[in-house]
Amino acid sequence: GTRRRIAVWAVVTTRRLVAGWSVLRGLGKPAAAPERGMVSTRRQGGLSLADPEEAAWWGEKTLDRSAIGRSLRVAALRIEAKRTGDILARLRPWLLNLPRLRNVEADPEGDAGKKLVLLSSGIPETGVLPGEAGAWVAEEVSAARMEVRRHEVRLGYEYFTAEEALRLALPEDVEVPTSFETAGHVVHVNLRPEHLPWKRVIGQVILDKLRPRVRTVVNKVGDVTSTFRTYPLEILAGDDDTRVVVKEDDCEFALDVREVYWNSRLQAEHSRLADALARRGVVVADATCGVGPFAVPLARRGVLVHANDLNPAAVAALRENAARNRCSPDRLVVHGPACATHFLARDLRDVRYDHVILNLPASGIDLLDAFRGLPFPRGPPPLVHCYCFAANRRADPDAVVVDIIRRCADTLGVSPPPPATPTPMPSPDVRAALHAADAGAKTAVRYVRNVAPAKDMYCVSFRVPEACAHLPPRDAAPRPAHGPPSPPPPALG
């Protein structure tokens, strides 16, 4: 945040000097035309706010809906209203055929017995159609059974989708943000620096186009740096209400996106692992459970789940979601808030469990040191399913598996079992990965999803080596049971 602010300040200062000199040189010249679909909320000394850094320094843009639109000049056929169906069927390939727009309009002269059939924008305004269709229209016109008219179709702001409206509203050199995540009534966007002067416009367009399902649009203004995987958000448009209810895997999850982590794009992964682990008599320890995307569906499938998270807000949400989804306390046992090491070593000291889920990709491998010095007297060590980030698998798939296993070994202090496959297994192969880790005594590295051009998310599954029980715990500062989230970065401007 601070480095970005300094960078923007340096660019803006330089361009202010250049712009000031340009204004002095250009006194008396006519002003430039306003940007498409935009008005400025603030101006200083007559300087243009066309540049993103300049606009970020002086003020933000707001949406002018009336300035967003297009006009099309097309040929149209004025016909008897009672012939509309037959003519539409005969000329279907040559009609205007624009999405969300009718090919027939009322007669502009107000004659209720007439209609206007709109032809494709590729047809000359003379109405000359090719081939047999053209000959037929010429014959109808000659017999005075229809007339060729020039007609203007006005497409206003209401016509366009969010992406189309933003393409008209934003300058041509600013890429339209088309990827966002939805959680309940909240849309979450990740805007880049060049978008910031137009962030209110982007938020308002998304809100307008996705109502009533969407009531709030937020932007992430910092990285996921807090202990609780949360990040500071700002409201771009709509209600200041970030508490949502989302549905996933026939379950409902209540949460506040400001206080807990949630990613709707992991829905398929949550269901895949829950389906694979759902067997009679299985006990699962979800050490980083969040609001329960694994724990609740597993409990609903009859699995005994012990769930814990470091974030007190996540634990509170999990308790609410357990009740909301009718998960009985003897199926979903909620612990914490506590760190994964405390949860496994103390809370589950006398509990036998078959699987451990570490759903913390940014630091999940670092949590594997919780198994150092941890005995399992009631049975074999559990299978661990640890989510992590690593390089994009397409660049060097062999290196991905080697790198992930090496990182696991560094944290555990002993090598995990050998790899099940030399390259990452596909996302859907959860059962094959579990079989390889259990019966095959291997380490299965499975691709989950792409998160950035050079970064993928993976799940590594293996049985905790028995040698871990004889290793001393890692010498490190104790992890706190809970604590406040990191403060947001300073605001630009």
Side-chain angles (χ1 to χ4, degrees):
T2 302
R3 285 183 294 180
R4 182 176 64 176
R5 184 182 179 189
I6 294 173
V8 170
W9 174 85
V11 173
V12 168
T13 301
T14 302
R15 296 196 177 185
R16 285 173 60 203
L17 295 174
V18 174
W21 174 247
S22 299
V23 169
L24 292 176
R25 293 180 59 191
L27 287 176
K29 295 182 179 180
E35 296 173 59
R36 301 174 299 163
M38 313 299 296
V39 293
S40 171
T41 60
R42 193 175 173 193
R43 295 183 68 85
Q44 294 285 339
L47 297 180
S48 169
L49 298 185
D51 182 78
E53 289 86 1
E54 187 71 21
W57 183 266
W58 291 120
E60 298 169 357
K61 305 287 187 174
T62 56
L63 178 64
D64 181 4
R65 295 176 181 84
S66 64
I68 297 178
R70 287 180 58 196
S71 292
L72 299 178
R73 295 281 297 181
V74 300
L77 302 177
R78 188 169 183 255
I79 63 169
E80 295 288 339
K82 62 185 179 181
R83 301 183 63 199
T84 301
D86 293 339
I87 291 175
L88 289 179
R90 186 157 191 165
L91 298 180
R92 188 176 305 279
W94 313 110
L95 300 178
L96 184 57
N97 293 333
L98 286 180
R100 308 178 301 280
L101 197 68
R102 292 174 60 88
N103 289 319
V104 179
E105 290 190 3
D107 180 46
E109 298 178 12
D111 187 341
K114 299 286 187 179
K115 294 289 185 181
L116 212 59
V117 175
L118 308 181
L119 299 181
S120 168
S121 57
I123 301 298
E125 292 185 17
T126 58
V128 178
L129 276 68
E132 294 181 2
W136 179 77
V137 169
E139 180 181 342
E140 293 291 301
V141 171
S142 177
R145 290 191 289 268
M146 66 174 59
E147 303 172 47
V148 177
R149 296 287 184 91
R150 295 180 179 180
H151 184 69
E152 183 176 289
V153 179
R154 173 63 183 174
L155 305 178
Y157 174 74
E158 296 75 15
Y159 169 78
F160 299 101
T161 65
E163 181 177 352
E164 292 166 346
L166 288 173
R167 289 192 190 281
L168 293 172
L170 300 179
E172 293 181 357
D173 59 346
V174 175
E175 184 177 352
V176 173
T178 57
S179 177
F180 52 80
E181 183 181 342
T182 303
H185 69 269
V186 174
V187 162
H188 170 208
V189 296
N190 291 328
L191 300 183
R192 297 195 294 267
E194 62 265 29
H195 294 134
L196 297 183
W198 293 275
K199 61 184 180 181
R200 305 296 176 189
V201 173
I202 295 170
Q204 190 61 55
V205 169
I206 293 175
L207 181 65
D208 287 347
K209 299 303 179 179
L210 298 185
R211 278 176 171 158
R213 180 170 58 90
V214 170
R215 294 191 287 106
T216 306
V217 181
V218 301
N219 177 42
K220 184 174 75 171
V221 295
D223 295 329
V224 184
T225 56
S226 79
T227 307
F228 302 146
R229 292 187 291 172
T230 58
Y231 36 74
L233 299 173
E234 63 174 338
I235 305 294
L236 297 184
D239 302 336
D240 187 3
D241 176 15
T242 53
R243 180 170 173 78
V244 301
V245 176
V246 295
K247 294 184 178 181
E248 181 177 296
D249 200 4
D250 294 327
C251 302
E252 286 189 352
F253 297 91
L255 58 112
D256 191 324
V257 296
R258 280 176 169 164
E259 297 181 351
V260 299
Y261 179 82
W262 179 266
N263 191 335
S264 298
R265 296 176 182 176
L266 292 173
Q267 177 175 352
E269 176 63 18
H270 297 154
S271 297
R272 284 192 292 253
L273 188 61
D275 286 340
L277 297 184
R279 292 183 295 173
R280 184 182 299 275
V282 166
V283 181
V284 173
D286 192 350
T288 53
C289 65
V291 302
F294 285 119
V296 171
L298 280 168
R300 288 281 299 269
R301 287 167 168 80
V303 175
L304 172 57
V305 183
H306 293 267
N308 164 80
D309 199 273
L310 184 64
N311 184 352
V315 173
L318 175 63
R319 295 185 189 279
E320 178 182 350
N321 293 329
R324 178 183 289 269
N325 292 280
R326 297 182 176 84
C327 297
S328 63
D330 61 340
R331 280 296 169 193
L332 178 50
V333 185
V334 181
H335 301 261
C339 69
T341 299
H342 180 103
F343 170 61
L344 295 174
R346 299 186 183 182
D347 294 351
L348 301 188
R349 178 170 45 199
D350 299 322
V351 176
R352 182 197 66 80
Y353 46 91
D354 307 289
H355 300 269
V356 177
I357 300 175
L358 295 174
N359 181 26
L360 197 67
S363 56
I365 289 180
D366 295 336
L367 297 179
L368 292 175
D369 64 5
F371 297 108
R372 293 173 60 98
L374 191 63
F376 295 97
R378 295 177 177 271
L383 294 175
V384 60
H385 312 286
C386 178
Y387 289 88
C388 63
F389 293 133
N392 189 305
R393 72 194 192 286
R394 299 186 185 279
D396 190 348
D398 294 334
V400 168
V401 172
V402 172
D403 173 65
I404 291 176
I405 292 181
R406 177 192 57 78
R407 289 159 55 195
C408 291
D410 290 344
T411 304
L412 287 168
V414 296
S415 295
T421 55
T423 60
M425 303 174 73
S427 300
D429 289 1
V430 181
R431 295 186 185 276
L434 291 182
H435 180 78
D438 188 4
K442 303 287 186 180
T443 296
V445 175
R446 182 173 54 85
Y447 167 79
V448 176
R449 62 181 291 261
N450 175 252
V451 296
K455 183 168 70 173
D456 287 343
M457 179 177 174
Y458 300 89
C459 179
V460 53
S461 299
F462 60 90
R463 189 172 298 281
V464 176
E466 293 186 359
C468 283
H470 306 294
L471 296 176
R474 182 78 68 183
D475 292 330
R479 299 187 181 99
H482 53 80
S486 301
L492 291 172

